[in-house]
Amino acid sequence: MKTLMPRKTSVITVDSGPMDSASLGRAAQTIIRGGLVAFPTETVYGLGADAFNAAAVAKIFHAKRRPFNDPLIVHIADLRDLSLLTRDTDEIILRLADSFWPGPLTLVLRKASALPSEVTAGLSTVAVRMPANQVALELIRAAKTPIAAPSANLFGRASPVSAQHVLEDLDGKIDMVLDAGRTRIGVESTILDLTRLPRRVLRPGGISFEALREIIPGLKAYRGGEILSPGMFERHYAPKARLVLVGREGPEQIGMVREIASEYAARGHRVGIMIQSEHREEYSGPFDIKVLGSGRKPDTCAANLFETLRDFDRGGVQVIVAEGVPEKGLGLAIMDRLRRAAAKETHV
Ligand code: TXA
Ligand code: MG
């Protein structure tokens, strides 16, 4: 059996501002030599390899235990690098790039033949984005190659929003982590398919549907429950604990969360409840109660989401009963991730 090569995972701490040149040089050399470097983006930490090195890309799948049919996103630092990945040049690409790049928008385009098929899981299309994070951009520029990077977590687990999360899942399996603290947005990028009409969102994320529709008026909304992207499997983003999602907002929501949580507790489970700050006074009892954020502030809830799910796991909770949040702005991405983490246990 092929064993995973690494070794010790180096952790390089990056304070705000440009990276010191020695650290940047080490990280870039690791990519150039076909190694794996986890790095921050504005959404979540990515696990990067040289997108044009098929063997290095294969290591990503091994380290994450990710199925080979789940394609990766390729990260670029400059718009001209797009031509390495695709021959598409539609005006809409430039308009979207102009409005949202660098930023949490991934575009699905027709793939250039020179890009190894390992990156795109054999698809004729490629997903590309330019991250809004200085460390990520410096790394891509110093390595002088686009970097293929999925989220830096074990397959199926909650995405990492800190270097600590990356190490929880991948310590000893990757060469390096660049630790620049918590990521700003906390949920992954929005994926927009430009290869077919009508254009549509394949995964809700850091750029809201409302913002995209200002540029593409006919844009097709993302409909939950569909698996449009290969690799967007039903159970995903999940904590180790069982997650039960109580979706619909309103007075019944609190009653239902209480009831489900009490039932599990009565059966002897350690139960956590994830709630909106507005509801803090509504709950008491033998539960680990964690506030996700204000229901009126989806950005804060998104930034806290994966950290809170991992916190429950660290506390040894067996069941998490989660309040759903309003599906506006980043609320759509939050609910998408919660539905997938809960798989079938969603109460509306
Ligand atoms: O914010 C993000 O997007 C983060 C950071 C690291 O950039 N990355 C991320 O990657 O979330 P990952 O691998 O966890 O999710 C990428 C997803 C795949 O699971 C797949 O659903 C979709 O992107 N994807 C990639 N290539 C695609 C393609 N050619 N067509 C359709 N979907 C694609
Ligand atoms: Mg992922």
Side-chain angles (χ1 to χ4, degrees), residues 7-337:
R7 35 355 169 155
K8 195 174 166 340
T9 299
S10 320
V11 181
I12 295 185
T13 306
V14 186
D15 298 322
S16 55
M19 235 201 287
D20 73 82
S21 58
S23 302
L24 182 58
R26 267 183 71 194
Q29 277 306 317
T30 304
I31 295 285
I32 291 164
R33 295 196 188 121
L36 301 185
V37 177
F39 60 95
T41 78
E42 77 283 34
T43 57
V44 302
Y45 275 71
L47 178 58
D50 176 354
F52 283 88
N53 180 335
V57 168
K59 288 187 203 165
I60 293 180
F61 289 87
H62 287 296
K64 279 186 58 106
R65 297 194 217 121
R66 176 180 178 111
F68 279 95
N69 65 356
D70 188 354
L72 308 180
I73 294 174
V74 182
H75 298 69
I76 57 173
D78 294 285
L79 204 49
R80 62 174 176 275
D81 292 343
L82 202 53
S83 62
L84 301 170
L85 306 171
T86 184
R87 305 238 304 262
D88 290 349
T89 53
D90 312 359
E91 193 228 330
I92 191 79
I93 301 173
L94 299 179
R95 280 177 55 210
L96 289 164
D98 197 43
S99 301
F100 299 112
W101 280 359
L105 177 66
T106 294
L107 300 179
V108 175
L109 305 165
R110 284 175 303 171
K111 168 188 174 298
S113 51
L115 185 69
S117 60
E118 283 78 359
V119 175
T120 61
L123 297 177
S124 59
T125 57
V126 58
V128 189
R129 83 178 191 100
M130 188 190 292
N133 179 288
Q134 196 181 356
V135 174
L137 294 172
E138 283 177 350
L139 177 65
I140 299 163
R141 288 193 185 115
K144 296 193 170 60
T145 181
I147 294 185
S151 50
N153 50 288
L154 282 176
F155 179 72
R157 298 281 324 273
S159 296
V161 298
S162 69
Q164 187 53 44
H165 296 167
V166 175
L167 292 167
E168 273 171 27
D169 282 14
L170 298 174
D171 195 10
K173 299 189 172 117
I174 63 178
D175 298 288
M176 187 180 287
V177 186
L178 303 179
D179 179 357
R182 281 271 294 266
T183 62
R184 181 165 56 84
I185 293 177
V187 290
E188 301 85 346
S189 60
T190 302
I191 302 179
L192 175 57
D193 186 355
L194 295 182
T195 63
R196 287 184 305 173
L197 292 173
R199 298 176 176 117
R200 64 174 168 183
V201 173
L202 303 183
R203 177 177 75 180
I207 298 289
S208 71
F209 180 71
E210 296 88 335
L212 286 175
R213 209 169 37 188
E214 290 192 10
I215 308 244
I216 309 177
L219 182 64
K220 208 160 168 255
Y222 171 76
R223 293 213 321 274
E226 292 172 298
I227 300 197
L228 297 171
S229 272
M232 285 194 69
F233 304 100
E234 246 175 60
R235 187 170 157 78
H236 218 94
Y237 307 107
K240 289 176 186 145
R242 163 184 295 217
L243 191 134
V244 183
L245 173 63
V246 180
R248 187 85 61 217
E249 270 238 288
E252 319 89 79
Q253 187 186 39
I254 292 167
M256 205 160 174
V257 170
R258 281 192 194 127
E259 196 180 312
I260 294 169
S262 301
E263 264 172 38
Y264 276 110
R267 282 193 256 148
H269 291 99
R270 292 179 66 177
V271 180
I273 318 187
M274 189 166 82
I275 61 170
Q276 298 169 39
S277 56
E278 288 83 355
H279 302 164
R280 183 62 192 85
E281 301 305 314
E282 304 282 346
Y283 296 100
S284 59
F287 313 121
D288 180 354
I289 302 173
K290 294 193 196 299
V291 170
L292 184 61
S294 164
R296 287 188 297 274
K297 293 188 178 158
D299 294 14
T300 311
C301 293
N304 292 334
L305 177 66
F306 290 133
E307 167 90 38
T308 308
L309 293 178
R310 281 182 184 253
D311 268 356
F312 277 121
D313 279 343
R314 270 192 293 267
V317 157
Q318 293 160 305
V319 181
I320 303 164
V321 187
E323 288 185 346
V325 298
E327 296 193 64
K328 291 205 190 73
L330 291 201
L332 194 65
I334 295 171
M335 286 299 280
D336 170 68
R337 306 306 186 270

